[in-house]
Amino acid sequence: MEILRVENLSFRYPNGEGESDFALSDINFSVSRGEFVVLCGVSGCGKTTLLRLIKKECAPAGEKSGRIFYNGVPLEDTENAGEIGFVGQNPECGIVTDKVWHELAFGLENMGLSTDAIRRRVGETASFFGIQSIFRKKTDELSGGQKQLLNLASVMVMGPKLLLLDEPTSRLDPIAAADFISTLQKLNRETGLSIILSEHRLEEVLPTADRVILMENGKILICDAPRKIGERLAEENSRHPMMRAMPSAVRIYRGLDMRGESPLTVREGRDFLLNNFSGAARSDKDFCGGEAKEIKEAKEKESERTAENKKSRRDFGVLAAEMKNVWFRYGRALPDVLRGVSFDVRRGEAFCILGGNGVGKTTALNVLAGLDRAYRGSVSVNGKRISEYRGASLYRENLAYLPQDTSALFVKDTVIEDLCEIFSMAGVKKSDREALAAELAKKAGLSHLLRRHPYDVSGGEMQRLALCKVLISKPKILLLDEPTIGLDAFSKDELRNIIKGLKSDGVAVLAVTHDAEFAAECADRCALFFDGEILSVAEPSLFFSENNFYTTAANRIARDIWKDAVTCGEVVRRCKEYCGS
Amino acid sequence: MKAFKNFHPVSLAVYFLSVLTVLMFTKNPVLQAEALVGAALFLGALQGVGTLLSDAPFYLALFAMTALTNPLFSHNGVTPLFFMNGNPVTLEALLYGVSLAATVIGALILCRCFCDVMTSDKILYLAMAASPKFSLVLSMALRFIPMLVKRFHRVERAQRTMGLYSGKSVSDRVKFHVRVFLSMIPWTLENAMETSASMRARGYGKYIKRAEKIKNGKNVKNVKCEKKKRTNFSLFKFTPRDAALIFVCLLSFGISLLGEAFFSVGFEYYPRLGALRLTAWSAAVYAVFGAVTFMPFLIEVKEALVWKYCVSKI
């Protein structure tokens, strides 16, 4: 039985004029009861608009045609706001009240339920979502993941039949995001809830989805089962930007031009490789003849690699920044966050620090950026101790810092005012500033954003603008805090290209990230941060192949055959090599 | 040791109001002493003896100052102790000063207890009785303010790394903070819009349309709009224990005021010290008010003993 049907839906925002300005055009689809539908597409393709139109209380103003039916009734005639639940992108903004229990009760209060009824439903919901332990806490004490889970719970407490989620995990770290997704799967499986989820991180979501709707320019491009989406996408356009967003198994499968239903999970992908390419692993062994030789060879390789590593380290040239045995804590009575951190970054290299949540990665960046002061150890930037920099000299043509929340870099009403201000600090004449800013934006392909308010640009665009802004001061070292959070695959690619360009200009890039895929593809060296210190530093292929858990999906798929293949491209290349030989 | 905190907010409010009112109106030294000692013990039980001792010098100094200031300015009374600048310093004025000091310090300590006991959710609950909407707004403000402060610090730090206005001069510092502060305004508005969307999505302010079609006609316009009543949920439960507390408080409040007005509990300092007469009524007032003022302390102590006893049994 279908719970939602969308017929010929078109929508245009009030400022849109021509035919091309339709945010949505001619959307047709239906969702049956208990179905888990994933909505994907590059940012700006109309996913959010579509979801908001289905939730009539959140519908944007504009010109709408076509019809939406909920349970066979036109959406306008439905009465109960609790029937269709909506969870937005920003975990902060969804929360209304100051206490967790009050937040859970908020929707039920609006429904006019009695105190006893509310007490029961709130208790039951809190138990299901496992948030009893935070029940009496203040909402601003929660972590991002807990906040988003609370948002979900306070919508689910009203007992919706259809749940709409607009990129709910885009601001969460991968671990919290995976928790959130698994809660959604539990809801779908155990309560038969119908879910429409828009998402750009498809690796975890796609395997449990019943159907995928892929949108492009306000139209539905593909609507099919997850296993067929890879092939259908290739039929449309083999170089479609969404291909990069697909799970690693699909990307490897498609990279080898295989036909038919694709594997989705790491397990299926690994089985596929083992069935077809296990010869590659065996032939290696046969060639070496026995295990002893294999180990010997591995050791040889290892020493070769370290030698190479040393050589390449020398090639990287001058030291850009260095931390030696740095200790830091936020307060006298608080525990140490950094416990003897030592590392160095050289010019022209990208250094990625990976690690879980709250282990102190960002704190290390803050100390390096001079925002927090270490109480023991030495921090130097460009050969000068950080305490020797006076005033803003550390930030002039020297060090730039891109925080996780890039919007914090913009304080004016339009983007161009913010850029001009930086030029004014550099001593550029007033008449030249705007021209310089415009030229800069043109180079980065961001000219159309200059007159906008910083809050009116998308996450990917915001980040490019922010990078543009911090690079005006021509830094020699760039610090990035979680640069890939909230970015779609397309924006990630762009970021990678920017970093590549910076590297060739001799800039040292230090990124702190959760994103193993990103680190594998763009870093020259990776390090694991745990318990306040840096544990291992190595080039990505060695770093990830040594890890059992903290590694890329592509590496998990291929590690039984090629232990050191860490990116999808690498796996595909080796498969093709094997086929060729 | 937080037994008294667990009373219902209404009972707690009645408790504080009744004790504070009696303390403000009475000049009876027995009642004042009871209130002062009771409040001090209460604070000690709430925040520990250490805090009480470390704060004691402040209270004693304030006490002495208040007590000594009165006789310097008020020369009423019939028993001069000595003369200063040709003005009599009287025993009555001195004792009245002490009484005044007891009232002020007692009220101060009680207010500190109040702040400790009445947490934000209790205040919100009480505000709900006055106006549910105001209570909701208050709750949203309590949610919003920490978020704003966090955002402010985040922007401040981000701006610092841009190297703007980071000179040591006053004008640079002012400029730096002003531009960060100004950027909070659009952010607040943006945030408010998203929050209101989240509220609407959960049915806030929704009109329930009830079509009351006239039996014979099909007049679609005749749709009665009726706002569905919003209920207010709280975690507090009103138990017999809470009712008992209210009853005792009101009883002590009633007989104290009546006694003050008619039944020889009243006390005068001027022109001559009155006498404390022990009548049945005044004895009852002393006993009941004393019970009320010492109750929080006794409850905390009892709870601690019960706890110890339970632990020792394990």
Side-chain angles (χ1 to χ4, degrees):
Chain A
M1 207 191 114
E2 65 181 20
I3 192 162
L4 182 81
R5 193 167 76 246
V6 177
E7 282 179 2
N8 306 322
L9 182 70
S10 294
F11 182 80
R12 182 156 61 175
Y13 280 100
N15 51 1
E17 289 285 320
E19 209 40 46
S20 60
D21 278 336
F22 275 100
L24 295 175
S25 55
D26 212 19
I27 302 280
N28 282 293
F29 72 95
S30 66
V31 178
S32 47
R33 205 169 266 277
E35 207 177 5
F36 193 144
V37 177
V38 169
L39 198 60
C40 61
V42 293
S43 26
C45 69
K47 296 179 300 225
T48 302
T49 312
L50 177 59
L51 285 178
R52 288 198 175 252
L53 283 174
I54 298 172
K55 176 73 184 169
K56 68 174 175 179
E57 286 83 4
C58 300
E63 191 187 315
K64 179 184 136 192
S65 65
R67 306 228 281 169
I68 304 173
F69 295 93
Y70 172 73
N71 265 338
V73 183
L75 195 67
E76 297 77 37
D77 298 342
T78 54
E79 283 193 354
N80 194 343
E83 288 275 318
I84 301 180
F86 185 88
V87 176
Q89 203 174 77
N90 191 344
E92 294 281 347
C93 295
I95 294 174
V96 176
T97 59
D98 64 327
K99 288 282 168 80
V100 171
W101 61 263
H102 197 179
E103 191 61 25
L104 283 171
F106 182 76
L108 300 174
E109 288 180 331
N110 294 335
M111 286 163 75
L113 294 191
S114 70
T115 298
D116 279 340
I118 294 180
R119 198 181 286 271
R120 210 193 62 235
R121 277 171 79 166
V122 161
E124 172 205 38
T125 311
S127 320
F128 182 86
F129 286 93
I131 51 179
Q132 308 95 313
S133 55
I134 56 168
F135 188 62
R136 280 173 189 267
K137 273 201 177 174
K138 284 184 183 159
T139 46
D140 71 284
E141 289 170 0
L142 308 182
S143 69
Q146 285 175 325
K147 274 179 189 156
Q148 198 60 302
L149 204 60
L150 173 62
N151 275 323
L152 177 64
S154 52
V155 164
M156 288 311 299
V157 77
M158 299 171 74
K161 305 280 184 301
L162 174 65
L163 183 63
L164 312 171
L165 301 109
D166 183 16
E167 298 195 355
T169 65
S170 66
R171 312 259 173 121
L172 307 183
D173 63 85
I175 296 142
D179 270 355
F180 190 84
I181 297 292
S182 69
T183 309
L184 285 182
Q185 287 161 353
K186 186 178 165 198
L187 273 173
N188 176 253
R189 220 173 36 235
E190 291 179 11
T191 68
L193 179 73
S194 318
I195 296 176
I196 306 179
L197 167 71
S198 92
E199 191 47 88
H200 57 238
R201 227 188 303 217
L202 297 173
E203 190 85 48
E204 294 98 8
V205 179
L206 227 47
T208 40
D210 296 309
R211 203 141 47 95
V212 179
I213 296 178
L214 200 150
M215 288 179 71
E216 191 178 55
N217 296 330
K219 294 190 179 73
I220 291 183
L221 189 66
I222 302 167
C223 175
D224 212 331
R227 287 184 189 286
K228 294 185 183 147
I229 202 86
E231 194 178 9
R232 290 283 303 274
L233 193 59
E235 280 168 14
E236 292 285 342
N237 174 4
S238 59
R239 303 195 64 79
H240 196 280
M242 276 310 288
M243 203 46 150
R244 291 211 46 107
M246 291 292 146
S248 300
V250 176
R251 283 168 64 192
I252 292 171
Y253 191 78
R254 286 305 316 160
L256 296 168
D257 279 326
M258 302 295 283
R259 296 270 142 205
E261 296 197 342
S262 57
L264 288 175
T265 59
V266 167
R267 197 177 77 190
E268 290 167 2
R270 194 192 56 196
D271 291 349
F272 161 74
L273 280 189
L274 283 176
N275 287 338
N276 295 289
F277 298 94
S278 54
R282 220 175 294 133
S283 65
D284 274 2
K285 265 183 202 165
D286 291 347
F287 187 73
C288 301
E291 224 166 273
K293 220 171 188 181
E294 195 190 344
I295 291 171
K296 199 181 160 195
E297 200 209 24
K299 273 187 181 164
E300 259 168 33
K301 252 189 181 174
E302 176 88 37
S303 62
E304 210 173 272
R305 204 183 269 136
T306 42
E308 215 172 85
N309 212 4
K310 270 183 190 158
K311 197 174 128 241
S312 63
R313 306 263 297 113
R314 229 175 295 130
D315 289 348
F316 274 129
V318 239
L319 205 64
E322 191 178 28
M323 271 190 163
K324 264 190 204 158
N325 191 30
V326 166
W327 291 68
F328 175 80
R329 62 174 80 148
Y330 281 102
R332 182 191 278 270
L334 296 175
D336 286 316
V337 183
L338 305 183
R339 307 156 66 86
V341 176
S342 303
F343 66 88
D344 58 78
V345 196
R346 282 161 195 276
R347 297 191 63 177
E349 79 162 338
F351 186 65
C352 275
I353 299 179
L354 292 119
N357 240 1
V359 289
K361 304 190 303 286
T362 302
T363 311
L365 272 198
N366 287 342
V367 170
L368 189 57
L371 290 171
D372 289 320
R373 186 143 292 185
Y375 73 88
R376 193 186 301 159
S378 78
V379 183
S380 58
V381 174
N382 282 327
K384 200 168 154 190
R385 286 179 80 100
I386 207 159
S387 51
E388 288 167 18
Y389 285 96
R390 292 278 164 258
S393 59
L394 177 60
Y395 309 117
R396 298 251 165 87
E397 302 194 1
N398 202 352
L399 178 141
Y401 183 11
L402 193 74
Q404 187 178 335
D405 182 2
T406 43
S407 69
L409 288 171
F410 292 86
V411 293
K412 299 281 179 180
D413 286 341
T414 58
V415 171
I416 193 160
E417 281 176 61
D418 258 303
L419 296 180
C420 286
E421 202 179 29
I422 302 286
F423 283 118
S424 79
M425 294 311 286
V428 177
K429 264 187 282 167
K430 202 167 191 177
S431 49
D432 299 345
R433 284 176 205 158
E434 286 216 0
L436 268 177
E439 193 190 332
L440 185 78
K442 206 176 165 192
K443 246 192 251 168
L446 298 165
S447 298
H448 57 295
L449 303 173
L450 278 181
R451 302 281 161 196
R452 294 232 202 130
H453 192 279
Y455 294 142
D456 289 340
V457 300
S458 77
E461 291 169 336
M462 181 82 231
Q463 200 188 33
R464 269 153 67 206
L465 280 173
L467 260 174
C468 238
K469 191 179 174 188
V470 299
L471 291 177
I472 291 177
S473 71
K474 300 197 186 66
K476 298 190 183 66
I477 169 163
L478 174 65
L479 311 182
L480 304 167
D481 186 9
E482 300 286 358
T484 59
I485 259 187
L487 293 194
D488 58 11
F490 178 67
S491 309
K492 269 191 210 176
D493 270 358
E494 282 197 330
L495 176 65
R496 206 159 37 233
N497 288 335
I498 294 174
I499 291 179
K500 218 183 240 171
L502 287 172
K503 270 172 22 184
S504 62
D505 291 346
V507 176
V509 179
L510 172 62
V512 146
T513 182
H514 281 109
D515 193 334
E517 263 79 19
F518 178 77
E521 285 179 345
C522 93
D524 296 306
R525 283 189 298 151
C526 293
L528 183 67
F529 201 103
F530 180 75
D531 195 31
E533 54 184 336
I534 293 222
L535 291 185
S536 58
V537 184
E539 60 177 277
S541 60
L542 184 64
F543 177 82
F544 288 113
S545 61
E546 292 291 316
N547 289 353
N548 280 328
F549 302 103
Y550 216 95
T551 182
T552 61
N555 183 244
R556 288 191 193 129
I557 291 172
R559 66 184 307 139
D560 289 345
I561 304 176
W562 302 288
K563 207 181 173 196
D564 54 345
V566 291
T567 62
C568 290
E570 179 73 14
V571 175
V572 169
R573 194 181 59 77
R574 299 221 183 171
C575 287
K576 282 184 175 163
E577 247 172 37
Y578 172 71
C579 290
S581 67
Chain B
M1 290 270 279
K2 303 290 176 231
F4 195 71
K5 276 188 171 177
N6 292 338
F7 275 103
H8 196 269
V10 170
S11 313
L12 290 173
V14 169
Y15 174 82
F16 281 108
L17 275 180
S18 69
V19 175
L20 268 175
T21 324
V22 172
L23 179 63
M24 296 312 248
F25 281 111
T26 190
K27 289 180 206 156
N28 188 309
V30 178
L31 293 186
Q32 283 177 330
E34 280 177 345
L36 185 60
V37 175
L41 288 175
F42 186 13
L43 190 63
L46 282 176
Q47 302 190 339
V49 186
T51 334
L52 194 64
L53 287 181
S54 69
D55 288 352
F58 166 74
Y59 290 122
L60 288 177
L62 194 65
F63 192 98
M65 231 167 66
T66 321
L68 294 179
T69 315
N70 187 56
L72 294 185
F73 294 99
S74 164
H75 307 295
N76 288 338
V78 294
T79 331
L81 295 173
F82 56 92
F83 284 81
M84 209 160 82
N85 296 337
N87 284 319
V89 172
T90 65
L91 177 70
E92 286 82 6
L94 184 69
L95 289 179
Y96 187 68
V98 170
S99 144
L100 215 58
T103 305
V104 170
I105 305 295
L108 255 180
I109 296 181
L110 264 179
C111 285
R112 278 197 61 178
C113 296
F114 180 87
C115 290
D116 198 284
V117 169
M118 299 297 271
T119 44
S120 65
D121 46 342
K122 285 181 190 137
I123 304 269
L124 282 179
Y125 179 84
L126 292 176
M128 208 150 69
S131 158
K133 266 195 188 146
F134 173 67
S135 165
L136 183 63
V137 170
L138 213 59
S139 164
M140 289 169 66
L142 284 175
R143 149 92 187 112
F144 177 71
I145 290 164
M147 200 157 74
L148 184 73
V149 170
K150 264 185 206 161
R151 171 80 192 175
F152 188 86
H153 286 308
R154 205 180 300 152
V155 175
E156 210 183 354
R157 286 169 79 102
Q159 291 300 320
R160 189 158 295 148
T161 62
M162 306 286 312
L164 286 169
Y165 303 114
S166 46
K168 290 234 157 122
S169 69
V170 177
S171 77
D172 260 18
R173 272 194 218 164
V174 170
K175 260 186 201 161
F176 181 83
H177 283 104
V178 163
R179 53 200 285 286
V180 174
F181 180 77
L182 287 179
S183 80
M184 290 295 112
I185 296 166
W187 178 81
T188 303
L189 295 176
E190 185 79 13
N191 189 63
M193 269 180 45
E194 287 195 40
T195 306
S196 76
S198 163
M199 290 170 76
R200 259 180 292 131
R202 281 186 278 159
Y204 184 77
K206 193 168 162 57
Y207 286 80
I208 303 291
K209 285 178 190 162
R210 281 204 191 128
E212 288 189 351
K213 281 181 188 166
I214 301 165
K215 274 173 193 168
N216 48 2
K218 285 174 186 167
N219 195 348
V220 191
K221 274 186 184 172
N222 201 344
V223 171
K224 194 179 163 195
C225 282
E226 185 189 329
K227 198 167 183 177
K228 192 161 181 184
K229 194 138 167 55
R230 199 174 177 275
T231 51
N232 295 295
F233 175 68
S234 78
L235 289 178
F236 302 111
K237 271 183 179 167
F238 197 80
T239 58
R241 198 166 159 261
D242 300 302
L245 180 64
I246 291 184
F247 174 75
V248 175
C249 289
L250 290 180
L251 178 74
S252 106
F253 180 71
I255 61 170
S256 305
L257 285 203
L258 282 175
E260 196 76 34
F262 308 113
F263 299 103
S264 66
V265 182
F267 189 80
E268 284 306 326
Y269 289 87
Y270 301 128
R272 159 187 324 261
L273 286 186
L276 279 175
R277 272 175 295 154
L278 196 68
T279 62
W281 191 281
S282 66
V285 170
Y286 296 153
V288 175
F289 188 71
V292 167
T293 50
F294 283 92
M295 183 163 51
F297 173 70
L298 293 176
I299 288 177
E300 298 287 352
V301 168
K302 184 202 126 201
E303 203 81 351
L305 287 178
V306 166
W307 184 241
K308 269 217 168 123
Y309 181 65
C310 287
V311 170
S312 71
K313 262 193 156 178
I314 300 166

